[in-house]
Amino acid sequence: MQQIQWQDRFNIGVEIVDQAHHKLFSIVGKIMELYVEQHKSKFACVEGIKYFNAYALKHFAEEEAYMREIGYPGYLAHKRLHDRMRRETLPALEQELYGTDFSTEAVQHFIGVCTGWLTGHIMIEDRAITGMVPSEFAPPKPGDEISMIRTVIVYPLQEMFGRGVRFIGDYTPTDVIRDAQYYELTYRVQQGPALRFLLIIGERLLLRAAGLMFGTEFYAMDDIVRFAIREIAQSIVQRAAACFEQDSGAYQLEQDRFLEAGESHQMLQEHLPQYRLLFAANQECFALCADFLHQQEQPASIV
């Protein structure tokens, strides 16, 4: 796998923030170079991961201070994402690393999650700080899906798949998406129905998206790419979920999984989601479906 490269197009125009993002990407890239590609000693990997975790926490604190200083209205929702990363995601990754004695698989998981999370977070949440994307969304009105698409989904999808992305209509199960991958995310809320998203996208398009995001070219879906793309998809869907509730932190990701084609087809045949959005990216298509789940439809929690 080629080295993941930082891209200047991810700068948001705030020097202290941009420098930190560049540094975090450099640390992750060094871990991958030393441990995954050159198979250096475990000590180098341990020290690199410790350095990444410490620097990420320092960056979160500095970015939060900047948001408070400028009176950023999305501060609390943004801080919740930082809190989840520092209190849940990073500790869970660290536990996996030590529990497997820093196996190659666990290190690849760490690299993929951190790179994907950083990319999605910068592309969507951090850019909103400087007004490059909308920071808050009103819930969509009945029949007003186009407004939701334009303000929430199209912009990050263009960053992910290129400027050629466009909305072309409602998705139906008869639409052909070659070599489709089916990625389901379920969000829960304390009161009210859960919200389920289904991303249907071809493998070749996923690899192209990974290349655009990381400034290199990918020829196969290895574990690092898969974990990174999953984190970016979660960032986009988390942003879309905010459309359905005034409090953008009301929906919490409970479960995500890749589905077999047969399971996805059966799901769509039994019940068509309320929102079925079909997009074109150059000569290929992909779809994003969303629906509220009744209690009997909600998937069992994974323990």
Side-chain angles (χ1 to χ4, degrees):
M1 178 176 176
Q2 299 180 45
Q3 185 68 43
I4 292 172
Q5 300 291 331
W6 165 260
Q7 299 181 73
D8 288 339
R9 68 190 182 95
F10 292 143
N11 288 333
I12 70 169
V14 179
E15 185 175 1
I16 190 173
V17 174
D18 292 335
Q19 288 179 349
H21 291 160
H22 195 172
K23 182 69 172 181
L24 288 167
F25 264 85
S26 297
I27 297 169
V28 174
K30 195 66 176 178
I31 294 170
M32 186 171 73
E33 177 187 353
L34 291 175
Y35 197 68
V36 177
E37 296 182 354
Q38 297 182 13
H39 306 290
K40 297 291 185 179
S41 69
K42 184 179 74 174
F43 175 77
C45 182
V46 172
E47 293 304 304
I49 288 169
K50 286 181 179 178
Y51 185 30
F52 176 90
N53 289 349
Y55 197 90
L57 299 185
K58 175 178 178 290
H59 164 59
F60 290 164
E62 290 175 344
E63 188 172 270
E64 289 163 13
Y66 174 77
M67 287 189 287
R68 291 193 301 270
E69 179 183 339
I70 65 172
Y72 175 54
Y75 168 77
L76 290 178
H78 196 126
K79 185 177 183 300
R80 276 194 292 264
L81 298 176
H82 285 176
D83 288 343
R84 197 173 305 153
M85 184 65 170
R86 58 186 156 206
R87 295 174 184 173
E88 299 176 20
T89 304
L90 287 176
L93 290 171
E94 190 170 17
Q95 183 178 14
E96 179 187 15
L97 288 163
Y98 281 98
T100 63
D101 194 29
F102 286 77
S103 68
T104 300
E105 293 77 13
V107 175
Q108 289 176 330
H109 188 199
F110 178 89
I111 292 169
V113 168
C114 291
T115 305
W117 188 91
L118 280 169
T119 302
H121 190 76
I122 293 167
M123 180 176 65
I124 299 171
E125 304 299 336
D126 288 340
R127 285 187 167 189
I129 297 173
T130 55
M132 299 174 75
V133 294
S135 60
E136 295 294 334
F137 310 105
K141 298 177 182 178
D144 192 24
E145 294 89 345
I146 297 299
S147 176
M148 179 187 73
I149 294 164
R150 288 175 178 169
T151 59
V152 181
I153 297 176
V154 168
Y155 180 84
L157 286 177
Q158 287 178 338
E159 288 299 302
M160 187 174 180
F161 298 110
R163 291 294 173 180
V165 171
R166 66 189 189 281
F167 171 66
I168 57 176
D170 289 342
Y171 168 76
T172 68
T174 60
D175 289 313
V176 177
I177 297 177
R178 291 180 294 178
D179 300 321
Q181 307 289 308
Y182 301 86
Y183 181 44
E184 180 192 51
L185 304 98
T186 304
Y187 290 83
R188 288 191 182 273
V189 65
Q190 290 183 348
Q191 295 182 346
L195 181 61
R196 178 172 63 194
F197 287 89
L198 180 64
L199 176 65
I200 308 170
I201 186 169
E203 182 174 327
R204 187 168 67 175
L205 190 54
L206 275 177
L207 292 173
R208 187 187 307 158
L212 287 171
M213 286 292 98
F214 303 140
T216 187
E217 192 170 0
F218 299 99
Y219 301 98
M221 287 287 291
D222 65 18
D223 286 339
I224 292 178
V225 172
R226 188 172 292 106
F227 285 126
I229 289 291
R230 187 176 70 176
E231 290 297 315
I232 294 170
Q234 286 182 14
S235 296
I236 293 174
V237 169
Q238 178 72 47
R239 206 61 174 156
C243 286
F244 297 88
E245 181 64 38
Q246 288 283 5
D247 178 5
S248 60
Y251 285 98
Q252 301 296 325
L253 178 66
E254 181 182 75
Q255 178 178 312
D256 72 286
R257 61 188 181 127
F258 285 95
L259 305 179
E260 296 293 335
E263 182 180 2
S264 178
H265 291 162
Q266 182 178 353
M267 178 194 303
L268 293 170
Q269 287 176 355
E270 291 176 351
H271 175 71
L272 282 178
Q274 179 180 358
Y275 298 96
R276 305 183 308 277
L277 314 176
L278 185 64
F279 300 89
N282 296 322
Q283 302 301 314
E284 299 185 57
C285 296
F286 63 96
L288 180 64
C289 302
D291 206 7
F292 293 100
L293 300 180
H294 298 296
Q295 188 65 37
Q296 63 270 23
E297 297 176 306
Q298 297 181 18
S301 299
I302 296 177
V303 179

